Amino acid sequence: MVKVPSVPMSSGRHLPLLGLGTWLANNEAELDAAVRAALDCGYRYIDTAFVYKNEHVIGAVVKEYIDAGKFKREDIFITTKLPMYGHAHAAEYIQKSLKNLQTDYVDLYLIHIPIPFQREEGNDAPKAVDGVFVPDLSVPYIETWKVLEKHYNEGKLKAIGVSNFNEEQLQDLYNKATVKPHNIQVETHILHPQKRLFALAKKLKMTFTAYSPMGSPGRLASPLIAGGDIDIAPLKEPLVLRLAQKYNKTTAQILIRQTIQRGMSAIPKSTNPTRVRENFDVLNFELTAADMAEFDKITVNERIFLFDFAKNHPWHPWKSDLRRRLGINVDAATGNTINGHTKSTCRCTRKR
């Protein structure tokens, strides 16, 4: 079986450079088949989150394989994440994820997003008033981080990190943290290469995970956050099409390979067993230095996911993109829109 390369983490563990993403994998039968296909062909890294509502499916299949002696628990790497309505209840959600995944520890646990919301009473969902999620400004992310640090020191979380933080937020957390973050996970692809954030992560000795390395083509089949319908299609880029022909590979394989060669961990999502296997078939070829340099010539730098469900949150990580793309200017202290814009509602709970 082909062994996936990995990069060392400052926690002492190693992060595989290729894993199975499971965002939007809500059909339990399809996800079950996809996870089995992944494990059978050699994946040993699975990424999930509490808000994906699929941890229990992953946990059941992994436990079955471990019980059958196909591999040991230490042979597989599992990442999950704290929901945006769980910042004030982090210990509770860590325990829920451990139970769902049927494991004593999680290999990597992330704060899913730096914008906490109040929780709806009696429900695992953000509280909303008139269709607008209610921010929870009582829990700065450093306070949530302290809970992760406690569970890391207890061994329940083998590494801890963040997702969807901007550069300033990441540096701020790093400066304040006792246990420094081990990983950051963000949208990254050839049309949004995250060069500055990646450089900062390397400076801080953090590993880097790229979600949506293919530009999340499946997003168009689901209700969209504003900006999610932007015309971004890495799979159709002329350079990618040319390299796919050169190497006799799919365009998806070219994009995954490019991500891995940058030193990032790629977690492409699919519930199609054939595509799951195809996405894994990237370890038997290598892009040349000249090929990689061609990607650096691409001038487009546009994120897909704006998280407009949190457009009025004062801690939104990408305020400049909200202004440029949606014309929304948010006061950093209050969350009120300014410059004549008015608060708008968002009934979309979709998030990455």
Side-chain angles (χ1 to χ4, degrees):
M1 184 174 292
V2 178
K3 184 174 177 60
V4 176
S6 63
V7 289
M9 308 180 77
S10 58
S11 64
R13 301 175 71 81
H14 282 75
L15 175 71
L17 288 180
L18 178 60
L20 177 69
T22 63
W23 176 56
L24 294 181
N26 301 319
N27 182 299
E28 294 191 6
E30 290 181 356
L31 178 59
D32 181 280
V35 173
R36 292 175 186 276
L39 295 177
D40 289 345
C41 75
Y43 286 82
R44 289 296 181 266
Y45 176 20
I46 301 176
D47 179 273
T48 183
F50 186 84
V51 296
Y52 299 171
K53 301 186 184 302
N54 60 22
E55 291 174 321
H56 63 290
V57 177
I58 295 164
V61 176
V62 169
K63 184 176 186 301
E64 177 188 322
Y65 275 53
I66 292 173
D67 289 346
K70 295 185 177 181
F71 50 74
K72 298 177 181 179
R73 173 63 185 90
E74 57 266 30
D75 296 328
I76 189 164
F77 194 101
I78 300 173
T79 295
T80 193
K81 312 176 192 79
L82 177 73
M84 63 183 181
Y85 47 81
H87 285 227
H89 317 278
E92 175 186 337
Y93 281 99
I94 290 170
Q95 293 305 318
K96 285 184 176 183
S97 287
L98 290 171
K99 181 178 180 181
N100 290 340
L101 292 165
Q102 300 188 51
T103 183
D104 295 329
Y105 66 88
V106 171
D107 298 274
L108 175 60
Y109 193 83
L110 307 176
I111 296 177
H112 203 155
I113 196 165
I115 40 181
F117 288 90
Q118 295 182 28
R119 182 172 62 175
E120 183 179 283
E121 187 173 353
N123 194 17
D124 289 320
K127 179 181 178 180
V129 176
D130 296 329
V132 178
F133 296 154
V134 181
D136 186 353
L137 305 184
S138 68
V139 278
Y141 45 72
I142 184 58
E143 296 303 318
T144 303
W145 185 255
K146 290 176 182 178
V147 181
L148 271 63
E149 289 179 329
K150 176 178 180 294
H151 286 77
Y152 170 78
N153 289 328
E154 292 174 350
K156 294 180 181 179
L157 311 176
K158 298 300 183 181
I160 51 180
V162 296
S163 182
N164 300 306
F165 276 49
N166 64 31
E167 294 166 48
E168 293 75 16
Q169 290 166 333
L170 181 61
Q171 184 69 66
D172 180 60
L173 177 64
Y174 182 91
N175 292 344
K176 295 174 180 176
T178 301
V179 177
K180 304 303 182 182
H182 303 119
N183 175 267
I184 182 167
Q185 181 181 132
V186 289
E187 174 192 344
T188 309
H189 45 77
I190 61 171
L191 302 182
H192 189 53
Q194 296 280 15
K195 292 180 181 179
R196 289 177 55 185
L197 185 60
F198 186 37
L200 176 60
K202 289 197 287 187
K203 175 184 175 183
L204 301 180
K205 296 180 171 54
M206 294 173 57
T207 54
F208 196 100
T209 302
Y211 73 70
S212 299
M214 294 178 285
S216 192
R219 73 188 189 277
L220 299 178
S222 300
L224 298 174
I225 59 175
D229 55 351
I230 189 171
D231 186 18
I232 290 291
L235 289 165
K236 297 180 182 179
E237 278 293 298
L239 172 60
V240 177
L241 294 170
R242 177 166 58 82
L243 291 176
Q245 185 174 26
K246 173 183 176 180
Y247 289 98
N248 193 28
K249 290 289 185 178
T250 68
T251 51
Q253 289 168 337
I254 296 297
L255 292 171
I256 295 168
R257 183 70 211 183
Q258 187 263 353
T259 304
I260 291 174
Q261 286 188 215
R262 289 184 69 192
M264 298 174 172
S265 179
I267 48 170
K269 174 263 176 182
S270 179
T271 55
N272 180 315
T274 298
R275 289 198 187 122
V276 167
R277 288 187 284 267
E278 284 181 353
N279 290 344
F280 189 77
D281 188 24
V282 296
L283 304 176
N284 57 0
F285 80 107
E286 185 172 339
L287 299 170
T288 67
D291 294 332
M292 294 295 290
E294 287 294 307
F295 287 103
D296 286 332
K297 297 178 183 178
I298 295 175
T299 59
V300 176
N301 186 9
E302 195 72 78
R303 72 176 71 254
I304 293 170
F305 301 103
L306 289 184
F307 295 169
D308 78 308
F309 62 84
K311 62 169 70 78
N312 297 117
H313 200 296
W315 302 342
H316 193 290
W318 306 305
K319 294 187 180 69
S320 62
D321 290 313
L322 289 177
R323 286 194 299 270
R324 181 174 53 83
R325 293 255 292 276
L326 303 181
I328 297 171
N329 203 6
V330 180
D331 185 275
T334 66
N336 294 324
T337 53
I338 54 180
N339 292 343
H341 297 290
T342 57
K343 285 188 177 182
S344 58
T345 61
C346 176
R347 303 178 188 278
C348 175
T349 59
R350 179 177 182 250
K351 71 186 289 288
R352 178 61 182 80

